[in-house]
Amino acid sequence: MNPVTDKNNDNATSSETQRPRKIKFDYEDDDQFQDETLDETVTESSNLDDDALMCDPDEIGADKTSADYYFDSYSHFGSSPIPYIDSLSVIFIGVCGYIYACNVCFGVEIELARFLLPVLLGFGIDAHFVLCVGVCIHEGRYIGASYAYGLLCRLILDHLLYDLCCFAQYPIIYTEIFTLQEMLKDAVRTKTYQNVIYKNTFLFKDKVVLDVGAGTGILSLFCAKAGAKHVYAVECSQMADMAKEIVKVNGFSNVITVLKGKIEEIELPVAQVDIIVSEWMGYFLLFENMLNTVLYARDKWLVNSGVVLPDKASLYLTAIEDAEYKEDKIEFWNNVYGFNMSCIKKQSMMEPLVDTVDQNQIVTNCQLLKTMDISKMAPGDASFTAPFKLVAERDDYIHALVAYFDVTFTKCHKLTGFSTGPKSRATHWKQTVLYLEDVLTICEGEALVGSMTVTQNKKNPRDVDIMIKYSLNGRRCLISRTQYYRMR
């Protein structure tokens, strides 16, 4: 990464910081759809704390009875059982790590690692072990907490795991099941969708619903229970077979039809649908998301007066102090036992970190970057350039920018939604951290100004390319720079 200095600061903005309108998310009690497996009724579908962007402290008060209380919180660096590592497994990890490091530093083709897979399996390395290690590393539960294993995760997950599952002829990729379970256990997410559907039956009664990216079919089951005339659950992965069984076991086969395939390739048994429901959001809102698929379904099947749920998504930006992590994980590469390995540092800084940020690290205000209206937007609107102005709330240092998103369902009787921000209850999306090359010394009241450009990657539209231009003209720091990031 070779940041380009922008001395003219053409993209700096002097406009006042945008403030999102403050809204309250709540529900009236309704026992009609009380799930017998839950301990109490949810009366407010929001995970926003008192000082979160979308709520006033006076509006929330002390009676926080939101869906987030069902959330069994966990840390990104939580404990996880690590399988026994035999000598061959150590060799496997070492070889893969070496190849990955070579790829980073010297451009050796990563495909070499794929060739080694059947050879290593031939030596007797347990396929289950490789899967477990891949998942553990992906979740940040690093063996020995070494950053090298963080780099290794991309090798295992992105380049080996799929081949391994195919080689071993597993019917369903393990990581898919783990991911689905993590999303279902995210009660901020799942309970909000459940409340949107159960508390707004007037939207679903006798309506035809399309569930885009149905997964286990949980949203389809909610819709069927809320009185939908029929639900078409479309899922392109092998999970569609499981979803059919789940629908059958729960007695909704006459209401829910599971269709296996891509939205762009299948044909629905009906010409139009009344509602499209989908949980399409990815990390950073747009990474590995299904937004374009939802928009395709909207344009092809949704009636003119139809509803898309959710229908609004907003991306925000703030700045944090994070000296300890940056020093330990990124600056480490500047001097490794007396040797310069900064080429790895540059690589690591270009890849945003998905992790949970402590709200006490926040140094500035939070800036609204982009709001997308899913019911009206065009596919190209997901690529944009937005200015920002982050004003320091105290004297501190800035090591990184943090992005997160909010989702709202505006068609409900009462406005409903949730936030993935650091001031709100944790979700599986966490936040996205973009480390800056410089450490910015900022004083209270001073503003870090600039712009963020977000585009779909040309080779893979599910990947995201990010460019940030920023400048600070402060009493103790003068800086102007451009940095590039890529989410792969």
Side-chain angles (χ1 to χ4, degrees), residues 13 80 261 389 449-450:
T13 175
S80 176
K389 181 181 180 181
V449 297

Side-chain angles (χ1 to χ4, degrees), residues 175-220:
T175 51
E176 180 181 357
I177 296 177
F178 294 154
T179 300
L180 287 169
Q181 186 180 83
E182 182 183 29
M183 290 190 296
L184 289 171
K185 286 184 175 181
D186 182 346
V188 169
R189 162 198 180 269
T190 308
K191 289 297 298 183
T192 298
Y193 273 90
Q194 185 186 48
N195 287 336
V196 164
I197 297 169
Y198 284 5
K199 302 291 184 177
N200 296 275
T201 56
F202 70 94
L203 291 174
F204 296 88
K205 185 68 174 177
D206 298 325
K207 298 294 175 57
V208 178
V209 180
L210 173 60
D211 182 358
V212 178
T216 60
I218 186 65
L219 301 186
S220 296

Side-chain angles (χ1 to χ4, degrees), residues 134-326:
V135 172
C136 289
I137 292 173
H138 177 61
E139 287 299 309
R141 302 173 179 120
Y142 310 139
I143 303 172
S146 170
Y147 182 73
Y149 288 106
L151 293 176
L152 176 58
C153 78
R154 293 194 62 81
L155 174 69
I156 293 180
L157 292 178
D158 293 349
H159 299 282
L160 291 180
L161 208 49
Y162 177 77
D163 291 343
L164 177 61
C165 293
C166 293
F167 183 86
Q169 296 182 343
Y170 291 131
I172 297 176
I173 298 177
Y174 280 12
T175 51
E176 180 181 357
I177 296 177
F178 294 154
T179 300
L180 287 169
Q181 186 180 83
E182 182 183 29
M183 290 190 296
L184 289 171
K185 286 184 175 181
D186 182 346
V188 169
R189 162 198 180 269
T190 308
K191 289 297 298 183
T192 298
Y193 273 90
Q194 185 186 48
N195 287 336
V196 164
I197 297 169
Y198 284 5
K199 302 291 184 177
N200 296 275
T201 56
F202 70 94
L203 291 174
F204 296 88
K205 185 68 174 177
D206 298 325
K207 298 294 175 57
V208 178
V209 180
L210 173 60
D211 182 358
V212 178
T216 60
I218 186 65
L219 301 186
S220 296
L221 293 167
F222 290 159
C223 294
K225 193 173 180 180
K229 179 180 179 180
H230 203 90
V231 183
Y232 295 98
V234 181
E235 172 59 44
C236 67
S237 75
Q238 295 186 56
M239 186 55 65
D241 299 324
M242 289 289 186
K244 291 179 182 179
E245 182 65 23
I246 291 169
V247 168
K248 181 180 179 182
V249 168
N250 286 277
F252 286 102
S253 296
N254 60 327
V255 181
I256 301 175
T257 299
V258 179
L259 301 173
K260 185 176 182 180
K262 296 182 179 179
I263 281 287
E264 296 82 357
E265 297 174 359
I266 68 165
E267 286 297 330
L268 293 181
V270 294
Q272 292 182 312
V273 299
D274 302 299
I275 299 175
I276 293 177
V277 62
S278 179
E279 194 277 85
W280 55 267
M281 301 79 71
Y283 297 128
F284 188 68
L285 182 62
L286 298 171
F287 175 58
E288 290 189 344
N289 70 86
M290 297 190 301
L291 178 57
N292 285 344
T293 300
V294 172
L295 299 182
Y296 178 92
R298 179 201 67 185
D299 294 341
K300 185 172 182 178
W301 287 299
L302 190 65
V303 298
N304 291 334
S305 59
V307 175
V308 180
L309 297 174
D311 58 329
K312 294 287 180 64
S314 300
L315 187 66
Y316 293 88
L317 190 70
T318 189
I320 64 169
E321 180 280 327
D322 200 11
E324 184 177 356
Y325 183 95
K326 189 178 181 185

Side-chain angles (χ1 to χ4, degrees), residues 390-438:
L390 303 177
V391 180
E393 298 177 343
R394 62 175 184 264
D395 292 352
D396 213 324
Y397 302 94
I398 294 176
H399 298 90
L401 301 181
V402 174
Y404 64 93
F405 64 90
D406 293 355
V407 169
T408 51
F409 301 76
T410 69
K411 303 301 182 182
C412 297
H413 179 62
K414 290 187 178 181
L415 196 59
T416 309
F418 62 85
S419 175
T420 65
K423 294 183 179 180
S424 302
R425 299 288 177 175
T427 72
H428 77 279
W429 286 288
K430 304 182 178 73
Q431 292 89 41
T432 301
V433 185
L434 304 101
Y435 284 97
L436 302 180
E437 187 165 306
D438 309 288

